[in-house]
Amino acid sequence: MMYLSKRNKKGILIMRHTRRTLSIVRKETWMKVKDPAALRRKRLNRKYSQRDLAFLVKRSQNAIHLIETGGMKTLSEDLALLIAARLDVDWEDYFTLEEHEVMPKVISNSHTIEHHESKVAS
């Protein structure tokens, strides 16, 4: 069976095989905080309070607190990039990118589909 694949405008990988059925593979990206304490030190060095930084990145002060204390292990790519931009640092210094592929998985012959995540090394 031959597989064809291409990405659509939203970055979703569409895989087709010659029997005209369609499977959609979607990638989700998250950022992981490398060192929450270093992020806090950088915020203090820039003379921002947690409330100030939260206002600048349009999140709550509690969200900043959770990121700095390690309570929030992963965060959205957008939030990580906003924080890095406001602290005037490269995002690679404080965050690591994690990608997950989410694709439907057939679990029986009765055409039942379940979403399955597989981790992709970055």
Side-chain angles (χ1 to χ4, degrees), residues 56-111:
L56 292 171
V57 298
K58 296 183 171 111
R59 297 300 194 277
S60 67
Q61 180 268 327
N62 190 44
I64 303 300
H65 168 75
L66 287 172
I67 293 167
E68 291 181 352
T69 58
M72 188 184 297
K73 301 286 185 202
T74 59
L75 53 148
S76 71
E77 186 177 5
D78 293 340
L79 178 55
L81 294 175
L82 280 170
I83 290 172
R86 292 300 183 170
L87 296 178
D88 198 28
V89 294
D90 290 331
W91 67 267
E92 294 97 345
D93 296 339
Y94 292 90
F95 304 100
T96 57
L97 179 67
E98 289 191 355
E99 289 184 335
H100 300 272
E101 285 186 356
V102 179
M103 66 182 100
K105 178 182 173 186
V106 177
I107 57 172
S108 72
N109 288 336
S110 63
H111 302 295

Side-chain angles (χ1 to χ4, degrees), residues 12-28:
I12 296 174
L13 182 66
I14 298 175
M15 295 177 59
R16 294 183 199 173
H17 55 77
T18 54
R19 290 196 180 163
R20 297 183 189 249
T21 60
L22 180 67
S23 297
I24 297 176
V25 177
R26 185 170 43 99
K27 281 194 176 186
E28 293 182 354

